[in-house]
Amino acid sequence: MDIDIGFVAITAVTLACIYGTLAIGVSITWSSLGLINMSYGFTFATAGYGAWLVSEYISSLGPVVILGGILTGALVGVLVCAVAFIPIHDKPNFTVRGLIASLALSLIGTQALLYFFGPQSKTLPPLFGDWELELGEVVLTADKGGAILTSILMLTLALWWLRSSRRGLEIRAMMMNPHAASLVGIGVRRTGFYVMALTGGLAGLASVLLSQTYFVSPFSGVTPLIKGLSVALCGGLGSVGGAMIAAVMIGVNEALTADILGGQYILITQFLLIILVLIIRPRGIAGILDKQREA
Amino acid sequence: MANLWKNPVANWSIKGEADNVPTIPWTSPLKPWIETTKAKQKLYKVGRLRYYYKFPGHGARTWHRWRYPFTRRRILNIRGEYNAKSLRREKTILDRRPVYWMLSFIAMVIAPLLMPGGLESTLLNAGAVFFIYAAINLCWTLVIGTAGIFSLASMAIVGAGAYGAAYLSLTYGLPWWSLPMVGSVIGLVFGILIALPATRLEGFYYALLTLGLVELCRVYVIQSRTFGSATGGVYGADSYLPDGISEISGLTISYYVCFAVMLAVLFMFRFIQGKRLGRILRMAPEKREAFAEATGVNFRWARIQVFIITSVVLGALGGVYASHFHGASPSLFSMDSVLLGLAMLVIGGIGRSEGAVFGTLVVVMIDKVFIDWGPLRLILIGVIMLSVVLFLKGGVFGIKQQFRAWRNKKKSENRSTRAEKGGEMLPEEATETHDKDQIFLRRFDKMQRDYLKTLVSEEVIEEHRRSPLGQHSEALERLLNYFRRQPQSDKYALEAIEPFKSYRIIAMSGQRGVPPRVVEDKIYKSESEALHAVFVRRVQDLMES
């Protein structure tokens, strides 16, 4: 058995970066708003279309396309917040209703995309130019290198903003205890919009970065949604650190499985891994108990 | 002058009587009554009271009720009562749902006979699909609603059953009647496998895990060569329809077969809900597991039992699916089918059998009958689902309950806006008061004081100062009459220390044997001066009340 360690490592790191971007979005949304955002896949697909429109009609420069994707994602995030969070977040049975409302939004959204853009998938132009970097035996191609650098950069920026800005402080307060946060004057609805714009932007970024793998089509969001959710789940909903650890784990697993067993077994091993983690730790790697969160 | 009171006895030229006295303009004592009894805020009429149709009772068969054979269970929950006014016996159906179920079953049975000619095959097909999906959703609503396990894997179990049955039928030539059995075995295996993590995980962790499982099945089926990665599914399974049958009669047979399948699943639903298992599960809804456990309910075991029973039934439904559609396709596992299934549950209301069936009817009709709308029909379904989630708490069949809760809220809001302090009682105080006359007395007293306050003026006090006794204008007379009628306790009186020379103000105790108390030390030289001092005190008390 010969494993191409360099290739596996590069693939694992790329996947970990992109999954981390997706999973942190899911995780932050759940812990601050209490909303399982099932319309994440829809955000993902729409951001892809936004980036595609930008590359068609404005400019096909890499950074401009990425920015277009991020902005579209943020916009869709705000829309989801306005429709699926604001009207029901103080009503009974919010968690289930929020989940179903975001699922309904995703159904409407993907069908609308299908209606307007048709079923053919679109391709984005290469975003990071055409270069290769040789590190010993390992070859780092442009798309992978660009994806790693961009996602690390954007994640660092987002986490830094979350850690050091006034709004970030509000969001973190909401994550710790939404009720107490609202008591000390942090507007739940306003913070909801910030959170959803941030996570939507992260989904948009992941969408642009993954566009080479999944292309841009109305249903391209399903697989990333499932991956993002399962990584967030594995890491423990609500924990940024746990999401990062889980992203690395899942990325390594995916790269190894693809190299050793073959692409069709990825989901199976991934699923088994997640079940294993969840049976050992029912709340994920770094998840906190509901009771602790509510106290 | 208008504000002048003419003394009617002035003509008799009594000593000291004035011809006329300045007074205040006349105001009607009805005014505060009208103002108080008028509603101050806009009142909306919110629905009507609960109304039941009263069936006349039979003289000879007064106490007769229909029962299920060999049980004491009633078919209809009927309450018999005597009308207090007409003294006749009446019957009220307390739960009309069985009547509606029977009517809809009759409608379903005769529907194929009434279908319009052109649409017959479309409608029969849609009807059969509706029955199969209604059966699936009944199982699903049992898992999500009654058992409180948020599983999204129901379609995956059906799909696994369908795929397994179709594959075995294709490979080994199994006959159609064995397919549901094969499917139920596959469902049992799947159910046990999926139920294992359900003992540890809760709520959304489980939902996400099962969603992942559905995706896993989909990817596996799409890529697997045995399950038709090239042909897009497994086709050619044995069907329950005999060969060489005409299209319309084949469709009609499959319509009735699927109807029978749905009836069987409805029976299963009723059996689980109405028996001990359903009671245990309703005892332990989500978030109250600790309480249920403390009362000795083993809710985990009950949930696993329900999950496994429904998995077996879902697997069998997969077998029926395979023999109905002659096979299985990967679309069973797609995100859209999970979403549509959830839409069916949500529109009707999660956890109710009528909700599952009605939601399925709505979604299947939109999905299968308006095919030429394209993606728009799914958007329509999504919009219905979204608005149901945003505006309704328990789906379409929860509207009645939600409306009643809203009406009660409005009622109590109106009640609380009517509560005023000062004389009137607060609602909670009023319910505690045994003598209800007190409530109305206080209310009347408040209105009277409101009116009398408008009568107090400089002129009236001056008039009283000049002649405390004797003929008075109407305003002063009304005030004095009110003061005179006050109860004995703490009522002011005069004590003659030395008759015609010195007086002082005391207050009665109102109790026999308890002497009055002295109100102030001031000594008044004449009786009229003292009477006026008492009047001023009373006016002051009135204005402050």
Side-chain angles (χ1 to χ4, degrees):
Chain A
M1 191 161 70
D2 58 331
I3 304 170
D4 184 355
I5 290 182
F7 177 77
V8 167
I10 295 281
T11 316
V13 171
T14 319
L15 288 171
C17 285
I18 295 170
Y19 289 164
T21 317
L22 279 169
I24 284 173
V26 173
S27 208
I28 291 177
T29 315
W30 185 81
S31 59
S32 58
L33 307 187
L35 178 74
I36 298 279
N37 187 4
M38 286 297 200
S39 57
Y40 219 59
F42 160 56
T43 314
F44 188 91
T46 317
Y49 275 103
W52 177 73
L53 285 178
V54 165
S55 73
E56 285 284 294
Y57 295 105
I58 300 175
S59 154
S60 56
L61 269 178
V64 180
V65 175
I66 292 177
L67 196 68
I70 291 176
L71 285 182
T72 320
L75 206 66
V76 177
V78 167
L79 175 83
V80 171
C81 181
V83 175
F85 176 72
I86 300 292
I88 47 172
H89 76 278
D90 50 355
K91 300 273 175 3
N93 221 353
F94 163 64
T95 29
V96 175
R97 283 166 81 185
L99 176 104
I100 293 167
S102 57
L103 271 175
L105 258 185
S106 116
L107 177 69
I108 297 171
T110 44
Q111 293 297 329
L113 286 180
L114 183 67
Y115 188 70
F116 286 117
F117 293 102
Q120 297 90 4
S121 55
K122 313 265 191 265
T123 43
L124 292 186
L127 302 171
F128 305 105
D130 191 21
W131 45 267
E132 278 184 2
L133 192 65
E134 292 205 13
L135 305 166
E137 292 175 13
V138 183
V139 180
L140 189 63
T141 53
D143 56 332
K144 282 186 179 169
I148 293 171
L149 284 179
T150 320
S151 57
I152 287 180
L153 179 72
M154 296 307 284
L155 261 187
T156 318
L157 271 179
L159 291 179
W160 173 78
W161 177 78
L162 212 55
R163 187 148 287 277
S164 59
S165 73
R166 186 84 200 164
R167 304 284 160 255
L169 185 67
E170 288 179 4
I171 294 175
R172 279 185 292 137
M174 283 268 290
M175 284 166 78
M176 282 178 195
N177 191 333
H179 191 75
S182 71
L183 283 182
V184 296
I186 293 170
V188 172
R189 289 155 202 233
R190 205 184 51 186
T191 315
F193 279 115
Y194 294 137
V195 170
M196 292 303 280
L198 173 72
T199 55
L202 287 178
L205 173 71
S207 165
V208 178
L209 295 182
L210 270 176
S211 62
Q212 310 299 325
T213 322
Y214 288 106
F215 303 108
V216 178
S217 75
F219 301 101
S220 63
V222 176
T223 314
L225 163 74
I226 306 245
K227 297 241 162 144
L229 283 175
S230 39
V231 172
L233 188 70
C234 188
L237 283 173
S239 155
V240 173
M244 295 298 273
I245 298 172
V248 172
M249 263 175 62
I250 302 275
V252 169
N253 169 62
E254 187 163 335
L256 275 178
T257 313
D259 199 52
I260 299 169
L261 297 174
Q264 65 268 38
Y265 296 103
I266 289 175
L267 265 171
I268 297 174
T269 54
Q270 184 185 340
F271 197 63
L272 289 177
L273 183 70
I274 292 169
I275 288 187
L276 195 69
V277 168
L278 286 182
I279 283 177
I280 297 168
R281 287 185 67 89
R283 302 279 170 163
I285 294 169
I288 39 178
L289 292 171
D290 267 357
K291 285 200 183 80
Q292 215 168 342
R293 193 172 159 264
E294 277 163 14
Chain B
M1 253 175 88
N3 296 345
L4 210 63
W5 171 71
K6 289 205 173 75
N7 190 346
V9 296
N11 289 339
W12 300 351
S13 54
I14 301 164
K15 196 188 156 207
E17 281 291 320
D19 283 354
N20 45 41
V21 176
T23 183
I24 51 167
W26 190 82
T27 49
S28 165
L30 261 175
K31 228 172 158 182
W33 171 267
I34 293 165
E35 266 170 29
T36 314
T37 48
K38 192 171 64 189
K40 283 167 201 66
Q41 71 287 329
K42 201 168 179 216
L43 293 179
Y44 297 97
K45 282 188 177 132
V46 186
R48 53 170 198 188
L49 289 176
R50 229 176 234 231
Y51 176 76
Y52 291 103
Y53 179 77
K54 305 285 183 185
F55 295 92
H58 306 275
R61 308 176 66 192
T62 304
W63 300 107
H64 184 266
R65 288 190 182 99
W66 288 85
R67 292 177 196 276
Y68 288 107
F70 315 116
T71 65
R72 294 166 57 90
R73 214 170 269 238
R74 289 184 213 156
I75 288 178
L76 270 179
N77 188 7
I78 294 176
R79 184 177 66 195
E81 60 204 354
Y82 285 98
N83 187 331
K85 284 183 185 161
S86 65
L87 296 183
R88 279 196 194 142
R89 210 186 121 71
E90 286 172 348
K91 281 180 174 178
T92 310
I93 303 182
L94 293 178
D95 187 359
R96 287 192 294 259
R97 281 178 297 178
V99 178
Y100 297 139
W101 272 116
M102 279 325 289
L103 288 177
S104 6
F105 287 154
I106 292 169
M108 286 169 196
V109 169
I110 62 173
L113 310 175
L114 302 173
M115 279 175 185
L119 280 170
E120 210 168 20
S121 62
T122 314
L123 285 177
L124 280 176
N125 208 357
V129 172
F130 155 64
F131 289 134
I132 288 187
Y133 276 91
I136 294 172
N137 285 331
L138 281 168
C139 296
W140 197 357
T141 206
L142 208 53
V143 172
I144 291 191
T146 311
I149 307 171
F150 213 90
S151 159
L152 299 176
S154 293
M155 288 307 284
I157 299 173
V158 174
Y163 261 101
Y167 179 73
L168 290 179
S169 170
L170 204 61
T171 322
Y172 301 105
L174 292 185
W176 63 268
W177 48 265
S178 66
L179 296 189
M181 298 179 208
V182 172
S184 59
V185 171
I186 295 173
L188 178 67
V189 174
F190 252 71
I192 292 172
L193 277 180
I194 308 175
L196 281 180
T199 55
R200 291 271 285 169
L201 303 179
E202 71 168 55
F204 296 100
Y205 285 83
Y206 195 69
L208 301 185
L209 196 72
T210 43
L211 195 65
L213 182 80
V214 176
E215 179 71 2
L216 172 69
C217 291
R218 188 181 70 87
V219 172
Y220 178 72
V221 163
I222 284 178
Q223 289 173 347
S224 155
R225 197 163 297 146
T226 43
F227 290 131
S229 59
T231 53
V234 179
Y235 288 103
D238 190 23
S239 169
Y240 52 78
L241 289 177
D243 289 337
I245 198 168
S246 79
E247 195 204 340
I248 287 296
S249 53
L251 282 174
T252 315
I253 291 175
S254 52
Y255 178 90
Y256 285 115
V257 166
C258 296
F259 178 57
V261 167
M262 190 195 72
L263 277 188
V265 176
L266 262 176
F267 184 76
M268 189 270 308
F269 186 93
R270 181 76 188 80
F271 201 74
I272 289 184
Q273 279 276 23
K275 291 284 173 184
R276 189 160 178 273
L277 194 54
R279 279 167 194 276
I280 284 175
L281 289 169
R282 267 172 286 148
M283 176 87 200
E286 207 180 348
K287 302 277 179 203
R288 298 216 198 118
E289 286 100 346
F291 172 72
E293 206 161 26
T295 53
V297 169
N298 190 353
F299 70 92
R300 281 175 210 280
W301 176 230
R303 282 183 183 178
I304 290 174
Q305 267 178 304
V306 167
F307 196 85
I308 288 174
I309 292 171
T310 51
S311 298
V312 170
V313 176
L314 282 170
L317 285 172
V320 174
Y321 186 98
S323 84
H324 180 81
F325 292 103
H326 305 274
S329 75
S331 70
L332 269 171
F333 299 113
S334 76
M335 184 81 176
D336 267 6
S337 73
V338 173
L339 267 176
L340 283 186
L342 208 58
M344 296 173 193
L345 291 190
V346 166
I347 288 173
I350 288 176
R352 305 161 171 270
S353 53
E354 64 266 34
V357 175
F358 176 76
T360 315
L361 182 70
V362 170
V363 173
V364 169
M365 279 300 144
I366 294 176
D367 194 29
K368 298 287 170 201
V369 177
F370 304 113
I371 281 181
D372 42 340
W373 286 17
L376 276 181
R377 66 190 201 281
L378 288 184
I379 294 181
L380 178 66
I381 293 170
V383 169
I384 295 175
M385 182 181 174
L386 188 64
S387 38
V388 164
V389 174
L390 292 188
F391 301 117
L392 301 180
K393 278 174 199 162
V396 170
F397 284 95
I399 286 180
K400 202 170 162 188
Q401 222 175 355
Q402 194 181 346
F403 174 71
R404 277 195 187 139
W406 178 73
R407 184 171 67 187
N408 286 342
K409 192 183 90 179
K410 284 287 165 197
K411 271 189 199 162
S412 77
E413 274 174 15
N414 286 337
R415 255 204 309 278
S416 63
T417 52
R418 280 204 297 273
E420 279 173 44
K421 272 200 168 186
E424 284 193 72
M425 282 179 182
L426 291 171
E428 52 269 35
E429 195 186 352
T431 52
E432 309 252 312
T433 307
H434 189 64
D435 183 1
K436 300 300 175 201
D437 277 352
Q438 282 296 321
I439 302 167
F440 293 96
L441 178 68
R442 290 232 214 144
R443 195 175 162 85
F444 178 72
D445 192 51
K446 164 81 162 49
M447 283 192 277
Q448 202 174 21
R449 275 182 283 124
D450 282 347
Y451 171 64
L452 291 175
K453 279 176 192 174
T454 64
L455 298 185
V456 175
S457 68
E458 292 292 325
E459 289 95 339
V460 167
I461 292 172
E462 176 57 24
E463 186 192 346
H464 186 272
R465 196 190 60 75
R466 276 199 282 117
S467 60
L469 306 169
Q471 291 296 321
H472 290 137
S473 67
E474 189 185 341
L476 183 55
E477 200 60 41
R478 280 181 184 269
L479 276 171
L480 287 173
N481 276 338
Y482 177 74
F483 295 148
R484 283 173 197 140
R485 279 196 296 103
Q486 289 316 99
Q488 280 290 311
S489 60
D490 255 17
K491 193 177 188 179
Y492 295 123
L494 291 186
E495 184 190 12
I497 303 168
E498 196 179 342
F500 308 109
K501 283 199 177 153
S502 59
Y503 297 89
R504 83 183 154 184
I505 302 176
I506 54 173
M508 303 291 202
S509 68
Q511 277 170 279
R512 189 178 283 259
V514 179
R517 67 183 167 88
V518 176
V519 176
E520 57 175 14
D521 289 338
K522 194 172 176 188
I523 304 291
Y524 296 94
K525 290 286 161 42
S526 71
E527 192 183 358
S528 53
E529 200 185 331
L531 283 173
H532 183 65
V534 168
F535 176 74
V536 172
R537 277 188 164 272
R538 284 180 175 165
V539 167
Q540 200 178 357
D541 288 355
L542 171 72
M543 297 307 279
E544 279 171 7
S545 75

